[in-house]
Amino acid sequence: MHWPFKITLKKQFSLLLLVVIMLFVAVGYVLQKKLEETQSILHELSNNTLPSMANASETAILSTELFLAIEQLTKANSPAARRIAQQEVQIKINETADQAYKARNNPTETLQLKSLQEEVSQLTQFIDRKLNLAEQISNTLDQLIHFQSVANQHLRPNHYKSEALTLWQLNFSKSIGLAYQSAHLERLNELSLLEQKANILLETLDSYAKQSQPDLQLFLLQFNDQLRLALVSEQGLINLQKSYLKIAGRTRGREHFIRKLVEDYTNVNDQLAFNETANLKQEVVDLTKDIEKQKSWLITALLIFASMIGAILVHYRRVISRLKRLTNKLEGMATPKIEHNTQADEIDELFEAFEHFSNTIKSQTHRLEALSLTDSLTNIANRRAFDQQLQIDLDTNQITQNSLSILLIDIDYFKQYNDTYGHLKGDAALQKVASVIQETLGNHGLVARYGGEEFVAILPNHDMAAAKDRAHQTIQAIATANIEHKKSQVAEHLSISLGLVTQSQGQTDNSDTLMKQADQALYQSKAQGRNQATHYNELN
C-alpha cells in the first residue's frame, strides 16, 4: 500500500485497526515468526555488526600509530632512545592485538601480529648491534688520536734531525687520516681499496722506523704494531666499519619487511572493515524488505482476523522500539548530530542514520590515509607516498612516452648543524628547507621527505635541461632563505647538493634503477665540493 504522504508505522497501524478489528486470528502465528526474524536481525546489528565496525576503525588507527612507532625505533641513535622506542612499539602491538581480539579474534590477524612481534625483536637486535659497532668505531678513533699524542710526547727535539723520523711522522699522520676516512665510507668496495692503501702505508711506516735512530726503532715499531692492530686487524677500524655497513643494510632490509607486514595487516583490517560495512548495508536492506512484508501481512491479517490484534500490537510496537534503539545507536556513533526530516518515518530515520554513520567512517578512513602518506615533521609527502607516486608516473610514462626526472636532495653538513645548534634547531631547519623546496618544486610535481636530511622530487614532463633548471632554482631558493650554518664548509648558510636522473622517452628503467642513478649523481655532487647539482648523464 502506498500513501500519498508519509506517516509513521504507528499511525498506519491505528488506522487499519479501526477498519478490521475482528479479522486478526488465522495468521497470527505467521506474523509472530516474522517478528522474531526481525528481532534476530536487530539483535545482530546492535550486538555484533555495529560494535565490530567501530572496533575495526579503532584497529586501523592503532595500526597507523604502530607504523609511526616502528619508524621511531629504526631512527633510534642511542641505546636509551632504542629502549624507549621499543617499549612504545611493544605497547602499540599489545593494544593492536587486544583490539583485534575484541573486534573479531581472527586467526589470520593473530598470526600476522605474532610474526610482526618476532620481526620487531630481530630488528631490535640489529639496531643494538649497529649501535655497538658505532660505539666501537668511535672508541677506536679516540684510541688512534691517543696514539698520535703519545708519539708526539715521546719524541725529543734532537730526534727531528732524522729524515726517516720526519717521513715516519708524515706517514703516521696519513694513517690517522685514512682511519677517519674509513669511518665515514658507506661502500664495501671503497673500504677494501682503503684497506689495501692502509697495508701499504703500514709497510712504509715499518721501513722508516727501521731507518730511524737506534734508540727509536723499537718504540716506532711498537707504535706501528698498535696502529696495525687498531686499523687493519680483524677487530680493527676498517673491519668494524665493514661490519657496521653490513648490519646497517640488514637493518634497513628488516625495517622494509616490517613496513610491509604492517601494510599487509592494515590492508587485511581494511578489507574486514569493508566486509562489515557491506554486511551492514545488506542487513539493513533485508530488514527494510522484511518490515515491508510485515506491513503486507499486517494489512491481510487485519482484513481476515481480529481476535489477535492485541498481541500483534505488542509485538509490532517492539519492532518500532528496536528500530528507534538502532537509529539512536547509529546517531550516537556519528558526528555531528543528525537532523531528521519532520515527515520521515522510522525506516527513513534508520537509513539517514546509517548513511551519516557511513560518511563518518569514510571521513576517518580518508584522514588515516592522509596521515600514512604525510611526513609528521615537515608536513610534506613521506617516503611511502613518494614510492607510490613514482610507480604510478613510471607506469603512465610507458604509455605516454614522456620524460620524467627525479631530484635527490641532501642538506650539506647537516650533522654538523645538529651538533652546533641542537636537534630542535635541526628540526626547524628541516621544516624550513622542506617548505622552500615545496614552494619551488611543488607546482611541478611531488616533493617528499626521503629520510633524515634527504628530500626527493618527481618532475613529470621534465627532460634533462628542464630538471637542471629546477635544481639550480632550488639551490638558489635555499641560499635566499639564508639559514645560518657556521660549521658548513661551503657557505655561511645551509646549502644543498642534488643528484638528478631523467627517464627519457622510450626508456623502461624501474624505480630502483632510477634511484640508484640519482644517488650516484648526488655522490658526485658531494665529491665535487657540494652546494651543486649533478645529472647522472654527466658522470661519464
Side-chain angles (χ1 to χ4, degrees):
M1 182 175 181
H2 299 283
W3 298 86
F5 55 93
K6 285 190 178 288
I7 60 175
T8 65
L9 293 175
K10 188 182 295 184
K11 290 181 179 179
Q12 291 181 39
F13 183 79
S14 298
L15 291 174
L16 292 172
L17 179 62
L18 295 175
V19 177
V20 288
I21 190 75
M22 298 301 296
L23 303 175
F24 199 53
V25 176
V27 293
Y29 176 78
V30 178
L31 282 175
Q32 176 65 26
K33 290 296 182 182
K34 289 292 182 179
L35 290 171
E36 288 177 355
E37 292 175 3
T38 303
Q39 183 178 5
S40 176
I41 293 174
L42 291 173
H43 182 274
E44 178 69 18
L45 287 172
S46 299
N47 296 328
N48 296 326
T49 305
L50 293 178
S52 180
M53 289 182 62
N55 286 331
S57 178
E58 293 178 11
T59 301
I61 295 174
L62 286 174
S63 297
T64 301
E65 293 176 351
L66 173 60
F67 186 85
L68 297 176
I70 291 174
E71 280 191 341
Q72 293 302 317
L73 174 61
T74 307
K75 294 177 182 178
N77 56 9
S78 68
R82 196 275 299 159
R83 286 193 296 273
I84 293 173
Q86 184 186 12
Q87 291 174 359
E88 183 66 20
V89 170
Q90 189 60 52
I91 290 172
K92 295 304 178 185
I93 289 177
N94 292 338
E95 290 178 353
T96 303
D98 292 341
Q99 190 63 38
Y101 180 80
K102 289 191 299 182
R104 285 173 292 272
N105 192 20
N106 187 291
T108 300
E109 291 183 87
T110 302
L111 290 175
Q112 285 181 316
L113 289 171
K114 182 178 180 181
S115 176
L116 179 61
Q117 178 79 52
E118 293 172 353
E119 292 300 329
V120 168
S121 177
Q122 290 292 327
L123 175 63
T124 302
Q125 294 177 16
F126 288 157
I127 293 174
D128 285 340
R129 290 172 61 187
K130 187 175 72 170
L131 293 175
N132 182 54
L133 287 170
E135 182 178 3
Q136 292 183 48
I137 291 171
S138 177
N139 292 338
T140 304
L141 288 174
D142 293 340
Q143 183 182 9
L144 289 173
I145 293 299
H146 177 70
F147 288 165
Q148 190 174 30
S149 175
V150 171
N152 292 335
Q153 292 175 5
H154 187 81
L155 298 176
R156 296 189 298 274
N158 61 324
H159 292 152
Y160 290 98
K161 296 178 182 179
S162 170
E163 180 181 357
L165 177 60
T166 302
L167 294 173
W168 181 89
Q169 285 187 304
L170 177 61
N171 284 277
F172 188 84
S173 298
K174 288 182 179 179
S175 300
I176 299 298
L178 285 180
Y180 272 93
Q181 184 179 355
S182 68
H184 294 86
L185 290 178
E186 296 182 356
R187 296 178 182 275
L188 290 173
N189 61 337
E190 294 176 350
L191 278 171
S192 298
L193 293 175
L194 188 139
E195 184 176 15
Q196 295 175 6
K197 292 181 181 179
N199 284 321
I200 294 173
L201 193 58
L202 287 168
E203 292 176 0
T204 303
L205 283 171
D206 288 341
S207 174
Y208 287 135
K210 293 176 182 178
Q211 297 175 24
S212 64
Q213 301 174 23
D215 59 333
L216 286 178
Q217 288 184 11
L218 180 60
F219 171 79
L220 296 180
L221 288 172
Q222 289 177 345
F223 257 83
N224 291 351
D225 291 339
Q226 292 176 340
L227 179 61
R228 182 176 286 104
L229 183 63
L231 188 58
V232 298
S233 68
E234 184 176 350
Q235 297 298 323
L237 183 62
I238 293 176
N239 282 322
L240 286 175
Q241 182 65 13
K242 288 181 179 179
S243 298
Y244 179 85
L245 293 180
K246 292 177 181 178
I247 197 65
R250 295 180 67 184
T251 300
R252 288 191 296 270
R254 186 69 60 175
E255 177 200 2
H256 181 72
F257 181 69
I258 291 175
R259 287 173 180 268
K260 290 297 183 183
L261 284 180
V262 175
E263 289 177 2
D264 291 342
Y265 175 78
T266 303
N267 290 338
V268 169
N269 186 73
D270 289 343
Q271 184 60 44
L272 291 173
F274 175 80
N275 292 340
E276 294 287 357
T277 303
N279 291 337
L280 179 60
K281 290 182 178 178
Q282 185 60 45
E283 288 174 346
V284 171
V285 170
D286 293 341
L287 175 61
T288 302
K289 292 180 178 178
D290 193 69
I291 292 177
E292 290 297 328
K293 290 179 180 178
Q294 290 181 38
K295 289 172 64 178
S296 300
W297 277 101
L298 180 60
I299 294 173
T300 302
L302 287 173
L303 294 173
I304 301 174
F305 310 107
S307 61
M308 297 298 295
I309 191 65
I312 294 299
L313 177 61
V314 172
H315 289 299
Y316 201 74
R317 290 183 64 184
R318 288 181 62 193
V319 172
I320 295 174
S321 174
R322 289 180 177 272
L323 283 173
K324 284 292 187 182
R325 285 166 55 190
L326 176 59
T327 302
N328 291 337
K329 184 171 288 189
L330 283 170
E331 290 177 348
M333 291 182 174
T335 54
K337 183 175 177 59
I338 303 173
E339 295 293 335
H340 292 293
N341 189 328
T342 56
Q343 294 185 344
D345 60 13
E346 289 80 6
I347 301 299
D348 292 329
E349 291 177 355
L350 176 61
F351 269 104
E352 289 175 3
F354 172 73
E355 185 68 24
H356 198 70
F357 180 73
S358 296
N359 291 336
T360 300
I361 293 295
K362 290 179 182 178
S363 176
Q364 292 176 348
T365 301
H366 291 326
R367 286 199 298 270
L368 287 174
E369 184 177 358
L371 177 63
S372 69
L373 297 176
T374 302
D375 180 68
S376 58
L377 177 63
T378 60
N379 289 325
I380 63 175
N382 62 13
R383 175 72 173 272
R384 181 184 178 193
F386 164 75
D387 289 340
Q388 292 181 0
Q389 187 60 45
L390 178 57
Q391 190 58 53
I392 291 172
D393 289 341
L394 290 176
D395 293 342
T396 301
N397 275 10
Q398 291 184 2
I399 300 174
T400 61
Q401 300 293 307
N402 292 330
S403 297
L404 173 72
S405 292
I406 298 175
L407 278 61
L408 185 58
I409 306 166
D410 185 78
I411 302 178
D412 297 329
Y413 301 108
F414 192 70
K415 181 181 183 302
Q416 291 84 343
Y417 186 93
N418 275 334
D419 293 342
T420 303
Y421 299 97
H423 288 283
L424 290 179
K425 286 282 189 179
D427 288 346
L430 284 173
Q431 292 170 341
K432 179 62 177 177
V433 169
S435 176
V436 171
I437 296 175
Q438 179 68 27
E439 291 176 0
T440 306
L441 301 176
N443 292 333
H444 307 288
L446 175 72
V447 175
R449 185 180 179 192
Y450 197 66
E453 66 269 22
E454 285 189 328
F455 298 86
V456 66
I458 306 174
L459 302 180
N461 302 318
H462 279 63
D463 57 16
M464 175 178 172
K468 291 182 67 176
D469 288 342
R470 299 297 181 203
H472 291 308
Q473 291 173 14
T474 307
I475 292 174
Q476 184 58 43
I478 294 296
T480 303
N482 197 26
I483 304 171
E484 181 183 273
H485 187 3
K486 294 182 179 179
K487 295 298 182 178
S488 174
Q489 299 180 22
V490 295
E492 290 296 323
H493 52 76
L494 271 183
S495 60
I496 58 174
S497 298
L498 295 91
L500 288 67
V501 64
T502 300
Q503 185 191 51
S504 301
Q505 297 179 5
Q507 290 183 336
T508 59
D509 296 329
N510 58 34
S511 58
D512 289 340
T513 300
L514 292 174
M515 292 309 300
K516 288 179 182 177
Q517 293 174 349
D519 186 67
Q520 293 175 17
L522 175 60
Y523 178 82
Q524 183 66 17
S525 293
K526 292 181 179 180
Q528 291 178 344
R530 305 181 189 248
N531 196 21
Q532 57 185 280
T534 303
H535 197 281
Y536 177 78
N537 291 350
E538 299 172 338
L539 293 183
N540 297 326

